């Protein structure tokens, strides 16, 4: 299912790659979602891009000769500016009736280093990275990269689609804000992979993740071999064109991955904003559970999975909902 990504980091999704050189760098953004799970770039933490020109000498055509900075905009080493951006973003999300989804990193390196990935948390075999390198080289030599950014810069959105055996960990199911936040409120972890262009869309292929949706759960990293086979097939058939790496840390706890977190975590303005956000999501969760509990009391239909429970589990579910409502009602009134 395709989603819209509003105000994406343009330089990442429209980075130039030719025989003479490649645009490389990265961007980190705070992301929110709406009730349809569309992505919104709420604020940039940094965008750093450079033009890497290749040597013109024969035999060195794939070796970088010079770097020229093309864009630099960063607050990741400025505690005050970082706090201001996070606080502004949180209130922006609340006022626009959206949900804080997480932090997204995109790194464009043209897959020039066949020995490693530039995204923390992802370890791939040399053979796989080398195939990505060769595919990127072939695409830039023949100018095969499809455009996924409209020439009309007033339209700041692109189509994205997640692929992978565990894509439901990042594309969370739900049709209402309260459904999504009920899943996201305890979420933690990250997903990593590559972005490939295809048919004017950005396909985000998840190669690994350790995302969980409960407080005490721990997940181990894995490699999605089936998804990698799909990528290899798409590249071979010239249906997919790799352009960048990505990492998405989900949930409010994604803020803890910021390099300056230990310096800013006790900031009163930041904690006040986070407190407002917690009350905002508690109200959404309260709305969901109260609706479910009341439907049971008056005998109306509820979700199918509730009716599929045995009597013991159904009684426990109702008891848990009542406790949740009691707790959230108290939190909401405060």
């Amino acid at each position: 299912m395709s989603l819209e990504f509003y105000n994406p980091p343009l330089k990442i999704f429209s980075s130039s790659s030719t025989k003479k050189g490649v645009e490389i760098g990265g961007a980190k953004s705070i992301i929110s979602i709406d009730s349809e799970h569309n992505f919104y770039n709420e604020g940039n933490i940094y965008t750093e891009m450079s033009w890497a020109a290749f040597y013109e000498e024969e035999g060195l055509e794939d070796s970088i000769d010079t770097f020229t900075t093309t864009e630099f905009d960063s607050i990741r080493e400025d505690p005050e500016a970082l706090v201001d951006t996070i606080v502004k973003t949180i209130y922006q999300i609340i006022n626009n009736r959206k949900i804080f989804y997480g932090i997204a990193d995109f790194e464009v390196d043209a897959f020039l280093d066949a020995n490693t990935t530039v995204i923390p948390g992802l370890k791939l075999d040399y053979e796989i990275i080398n195939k990505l390198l060769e595919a990127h080289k072939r695409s830039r030599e023949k100018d095969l990269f499809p455009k996924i950014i409209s020439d009309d810069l007033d339209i700041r959105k692109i189509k994205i689609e997640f692929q992978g055996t565990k894509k439901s960990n990042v594309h969370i199911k739900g049709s209402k804000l309260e459904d999504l936040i009920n899943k996201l409120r305890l979420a933690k972890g990250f997903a990593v992979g590559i972005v490939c262009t295809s048919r004017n869309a950005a396909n985000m292929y998840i190669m690994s993740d350790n995302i969980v949706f409960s407080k005490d759960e721990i997940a181990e990293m894995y490699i999605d071999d089936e998804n990698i086979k799909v990528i290899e097939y798409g590249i071979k058939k010239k249906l997919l064109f790799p352009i960048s790496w990505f990492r998405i840390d989900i949930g409010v706890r994604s803020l803890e991955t910021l390099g300056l977190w230990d310096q800013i975590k006790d900031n009163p303005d930041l904690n006040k904003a986070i407190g407002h956000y917690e009350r905002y999501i508690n109200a959404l969760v309260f709305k969901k559970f109260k609706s479910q509990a009341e439907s049971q009391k008056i005998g109306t239909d509820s979700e199918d999975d509730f009716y599929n429970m045995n009597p013991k589990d159904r009684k426990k579910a109702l008891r848990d909902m009542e406790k949740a409502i009691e707790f959230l009602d108290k939190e909401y009134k405060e």
Side-chain angles (χ1 to χ4, degrees):
M1 178 181 176
S2 294
L3 309 170
E4 302 283 2
F5 188 174
Y6 290 86
N7 194 29
L10 292 178
K11 282 291 185 179
I12 298 298
F13 294 102
S14 60
S15 58
S16 301
S17 297
T18 69
K19 294 180 181 179
K20 295 185 177 181
V22 294
E23 197 164 25
I24 61 177
K28 183 189 286 281
S29 307
I30 300 174
I31 305 296
S32 71
I33 56 174
D34 61 18
S35 60
E36 297 180 351
H37 213 295
N38 292 314
F39 277 52
Y40 295 80
N41 178 5
E42 297 286 352
N44 287 317
I45 295 172
Y46 74 84
T47 300
E48 300 173 1
M49 300 297 294
S50 297
W51 176 256
F54 296 131
Y55 282 100
E56 296 184 1
E57 301 174 27
E58 187 176 349
L60 296 175
E61 298 91 342
D62 297 323
S63 299
I64 295 174
D65 181 17
T66 60
F67 286 96
T68 304
T69 300
T70 57
E71 182 174 350
F72 181 85
D73 181 15
S74 176
I75 58 170
R76 61 176 172 177
E77 296 179 353
D78 184 337
E80 185 175 338
L82 188 57
V83 167
D84 287 344
T85 295
I86 296 172
V87 169
K88 177 183 176 182
T89 294
I90 290 174
Y91 288 127
Q92 195 168 273
I93 290 171
I94 295 172
N95 291 336
N96 291 324
R97 297 287 295 173
K98 291 186 285 190
I99 297 173
F100 188 110
Y101 181 78
I103 294 177
D105 285 271
F106 297 94
E107 295 288 342
V108 179
D109 70 343
F111 307 95
L112 292 174
D113 188 345
N115 295 311
T116 186
T117 70
V118 294
I119 286 290
L122 179 60
K123 295 181 180 180
L124 295 175
D125 291 339
Y126 164 83
E127 182 180 354
I128 296 170
I129 303 176
N130 193 53
K131 287 181 180 179
L132 296 173
L133 187 157
E134 291 299 322
H136 196 280
K137 178 182 176 181
R138 182 171 61 251
S139 298
R140 64 177 182 258
E141 287 178 345
K142 297 183 178 180
D143 193 23
L144 297 176
F145 294 102
K147 287 187 177 181
I148 56 175
I149 295 290
S150 171
D151 292 332
D152 181 0
L153 294 182
D154 290 332
I155 304 175
R156 296 287 182 122
K157 66 179 181 179
I158 61 173
K159 290 186 180 298
I160 63 172
E161 188 168 337
F162 287 102
Q163 306 289 350
T165 57
K166 294 187 178 181
K167 65 181 179 181
S168 61
N169 280 354
V170 289
H171 186 177
I172 299 165
K173 294 181 179 179
S175 58
K176 299 178 181 178
L177 279 181
E178 49 264 37
D179 295 329
L180 298 174
I181 195 55
N182 188 46
K183 189 82 171 175
L184 267 173
R185 62 194 176 101
L186 296 177
K188 60 181 178 180
F190 61 89
V192 286
I194 65 169
V195 181
C196 293
T197 59
S198 177
R199 298 178 183 176
N200 300 318
N203 289 269
M204 303 180 72
Y205 285 85
I206 303 163
M207 293 181 165
S208 185
D209 83 86
N210 65 352
I211 294 172
V212 295
F213 297 96
S214 61
K215 186 175 181 180
D216 300 320
E217 188 179 355
I218 299 175
E220 294 184 1
M221 298 298 292
Y222 64 95
I223 296 296
D224 191 339
D225 293 319
E226 289 301 316
N227 210 22
I228 290 174
K229 290 178 182 177
V230 172
I231 297 168
E232 291 177 339
Y233 178 82
I235 288 174
K236 183 178 179 180
K237 295 295 183 180
K238 298 180 182 178
L239 299 172
L240 297 177
F241 307 90
I243 60 170
S244 71
W245 304 100
F246 76 86
R247 168 170 166 154
I248 298 179
D249 291 79
I250 74 170
V252 174
R253 293 187 63 179
S254 63
L255 293 172
E256 297 173 12
T257 67
L258 297 174
L260 294 181
W261 178 249
D262 286 341
Q263 294 184 41
I264 68 173
K265 64 181 181 181
D266 295 323
N267 182 281
D269 291 334
L270 176 61
N271 283 302
K272 181 179 178 181
I274 292 175
H276 276 290
Y277 182 74
E278 288 177 348
R279 287 192 288 275
Y280 165 68
I281 64 172
N282 282 347
L284 289 174
V285 177
F286 172 78
K287 178 181 177 182
K288 175 181 174 65
F289 279 111
K290 186 173 183 180
S291 175
Q292 289 179 347
E294 287 180 346
S295 71
Q296 296 307 313
K297 290 178 182 178
I298 62 177
T300 59
D301 290 337
S302 185
E303 297 181 355
D304 290 340
D305 58 353
F306 181 84
Y307 281 116
N308 289 331
M309 293 179 180
N310 60 46
K312 182 179 179 181
D313 289 339
R314 190 181 304 159
K315 184 176 181 180
K316 182 179 185 301
L318 283 173
R319 189 165 58 248
D320 290 343
M321 278 190 274
E322 289 174 356
K323 289 181 179 178
I325 291 170
E326 183 181 349
F327 170 76
L328 292 172
D329 195 19
K330 180 180 178 182
E331 289 284 309
Y332 185 48
K333 287 178 181 178
E334 291 177 354

